[in-house]
Amino acid sequence: MRFKRIFNPWPDAPLPLWMIFPVVFAALYASHFGLLRVPYYWDEAGYYIPAAWDFFRTGSLIPITTLTNAHPPLPSIYLALWWKFSGFYPEVTREAVLMVAALGLLAVWRLTMRVLGVASVAFWTAVLTGLYPIWFAQSSLAHADIFAAACSLWGLVFALPSRGRNLWAAALWFSAAALCKETSIAVPLTLAAIDLVESFRPPAAVRFRLWREAVWLCVCVLPLAAWYAYHFAKTGFLFGNPQYLRYNAESTLSPLRILAAFGHRILHLTAHMNLFVPVMIACAALLLNPRLDADGNARPSIDPAILRRIFLLLFVEALVFSVLGGALLTRYLLPMYPLVLLLAVSTLYRRAPHWQALALLSAGAFIAGLFINPPYGFAPEDNLAYAQVVRMHLAGIDQLARRYPGATVLTAWPMTDELARPELGYVKNPWDVCPIDDFTAGQIDRAAEESEKYSAALVFSTKYDPPSPLFTLGKQSRALDERYFGLHHDLPPEVIALRLGGTLVWKQQDQGMWIALIRFNRQVEARLEGRDPREGKTPWNGSPPTS
């Protein structure tokens, strides 16, 4: 009976969860069908798939073929189990991740029913979450964030409502979230801190209950601490390799950097990828009086105590990921977007006439955001641009293989991994590569001084640059982004070819992204200079960059 309550904690659901889950998964599977065979992308290729691949082959929880970042191992274990029974294929991985994403959307439905109890609001909150471009894209990408988001949302199902909390179940889900992504620990610790603050005034009986809840919420620290102890015993590093720690924690502690990052995080939670549509409509709806139901009573609203907790969670998560994380990746906030949408949809339901039409308008905006890139720089993994990038890389590798088989290739990450690691799905046999950081002027000039190390170059846009940015925060904001968040501008492929002394033989571009192949007449130059054309050729020794 207690086990059953984990999946059905409150008797107000109009349908049992075991009936809803297959429908949610089927919808996700159908909508992602064209993405199932897409090879691994970006941080998938850089860390998460190699880490899971190492566990699958060797049973080692510590990655062997990539630098260890001390990320907890639960996603690797989960993926390895799927590969064990279904084979190591990208479509198997993506189906496994879709199962987790469906579990997360089920939690969104359940959480909405618990805090408001209106099925139509739960439906639209889950639908909008599933269609939101960041959630939609991450639903098939094997990053730890979707695993942590699903577990965190289920933890909130049992810990957020004012009545009927099940803290031991919440502790289990939050522990699982922490073993998926270490930063997930911020959610239960925030709720525990709220309980401790609220315990100052109530009578003794209520105070004891709040203390007990806070203890349960803090229990999820123990599995994470055990993992770090194990990692330290095996590697000598508590929080990952020094390079990773320096980039994601030590170099982020400048007050100016934290303030700039916090501004970005607020935009991520309110406006990014067309999120401004439901947020602005909900803000406008706050000017209207509550609508009445059939009995003449005001429509229900979320309990003020729950609202305070939601807003505090949003604030703390924005602050945490302004301090931690070298890159401003929006997927770090993945469990928070459903809370924003819950607030927006519940406000529309309570105050706006024809509120479902407004929810449908928001859904249309999200669908548009999946295919239409915003008029400012963004990470391709925030919408379906990531699949476009992968297909462009596949096209470039195909051109390279047909024109210059056996070449040593000058390129940057993640193409270095895509060429050197066949398990990522891009090549059948590894290539020798000569890596550079990116395709900025400084890196290209450095590569030009070592021209004997490569015989072809596969260059591509490492950042999305909108053709004509309509929205900009000014020169000072760009300077801060360049200083703290890795903003840079790649040279055009024609300029790269000119600076390297090569010939541009192939180029493809689409929606602000491009890729190009450059050849070099090394043998002709060597004959003219009377030297061996193979002199100085140095293949890449293989260490991938930190994810």
Side-chain angles (χ1 to χ4, degrees), residues 278-297:
V279 169
M280 291 185 64
I281 295 174
C283 289
L286 288 173
L287 302 176
L288 304 175
N289 293 324
R291 296 179 63 79
L292 304 180
D293 59 20
D295 298 326
N297 300 317

Side-chain angles (χ1 to χ4, degrees), residues 265 268-269 317-318 321 329-338:
R265 291 307 189 188
H268 292 163
L269 288 172
E317 287 287 292
F321 290 112
L329 297 177
T330 57
R331 68 171 188 259
Y332 294 166
L333 297 171
L334 205 57
M336 296 296 105
Y337 299 121

Side-chain angles (χ1 to χ4, degrees), residues 6 11 194 216 231 268 327 332-333 356 425 437 463 473 491 539:
I6 296 177
I194 294 172
W216 271 113
H231 187 273
H268 292 163
Y332 294 166
L333 297 171
Q356 296 200 59
D437 293 339
K463 298 284 185 181
L473 299 178
L491 294 175

Side-chain angles (χ1 to χ4, degrees), residues 100-151:
V100 176
L103 186 68
L105 292 180
L106 192 66
V108 174
W109 165 278
R110 198 71 195 95
L111 179 62
T112 307
M113 291 301 298
R114 291 211 61 194
V115 301
L116 193 63
V118 180
S120 57
V121 175
F123 170 80
W124 279 110
T125 303
V127 167
L128 290 179
T129 299
L131 289 176
Y132 183 52
I134 297 173
W135 183 284
F136 187 95
Q138 294 299 319
S139 292
S140 62
L141 292 172
H143 297 138
D145 306 87
I146 189 66
F147 296 85
C151 294

Side-chain angles (χ1 to χ4, degrees), residues 51-262:
W53 175 243
D54 289 343
F55 176 74
F56 175 66
R57 292 182 301 116
T58 69
S60 173
L61 294 175
I62 308 296
I64 298 171
T65 61
T66 188
L67 295 175
T68 174
N69 296 341
H71 287 324
L74 197 54
S76 294
I77 296 171
Y78 173 78
L79 292 177
L81 288 174
W82 273 81
W83 296 339
K84 179 70 175 178
F85 293 106
S86 302
F88 180 69
Y89 304 103
E91 54 264 41
V92 172
T93 304
R94 308 227 177 273
E95 289 165 0
V97 178
L98 285 173
M99 293 283 286
V100 176
L103 186 68
L105 292 180
L106 192 66
V108 174
W109 165 278
R110 198 71 195 95
L111 179 62
T112 307
M113 291 301 298
R114 291 211 61 194
V115 301
L116 193 63
V118 180
S120 57
V121 175
F123 170 80
W124 279 110
T125 303
V127 167
L128 290 179
T129 299
L131 289 176
Y132 183 52
I134 297 173
W135 183 284
F136 187 95
Q138 294 299 319
S139 292
S140 62
L141 292 172
H143 297 138
D145 306 87
I146 189 66
F147 296 85
C151 294
S152 295
L153 288 167
W154 272 108
L156 290 174
V157 168
F158 295 100
L160 188 60
S162 300
R163 296 180 302 145
R165 293 176 187 167
N166 189 336
L167 272 301
W168 72 266
L172 287 177
W173 282 109
F174 285 136
S175 296
L179 289 177
C180 292
K181 189 75 179 288
E182 63 277 9
T183 49
S184 299
I185 202 70
V187 173
L189 292 185
T190 299
L191 295 177
I194 294 172
D195 281 341
L196 291 176
V197 171
E198 291 180 349
S199 69
F200 290 156
R201 295 183 180 179
V206 177
R207 187 181 307 120
F208 177 76
R209 176 179 60 80
L210 292 172
W211 287 350
R212 181 164 51 86
E213 291 181 358
V215 170
W216 271 113
L217 291 168
C218 291
V219 163
C220 55
V221 174
L222 299 179
L224 183 60
W227 160 250
Y228 279 131
Y230 174 82
H231 187 273
F232 180 77
K234 291 291 185 178
T235 67
F237 301 126
L238 186 62
F239 299 114
N241 66 83
Q243 179 185 353
Y244 170 80
L245 185 62
R246 189 181 311 111
Y247 177 73
N248 286 280
E250 296 174 358
S251 65
T252 63
L253 300 180
S254 163
L256 182 58
R257 192 261 180 205
I258 293 173
L259 184 61
F262 188 75

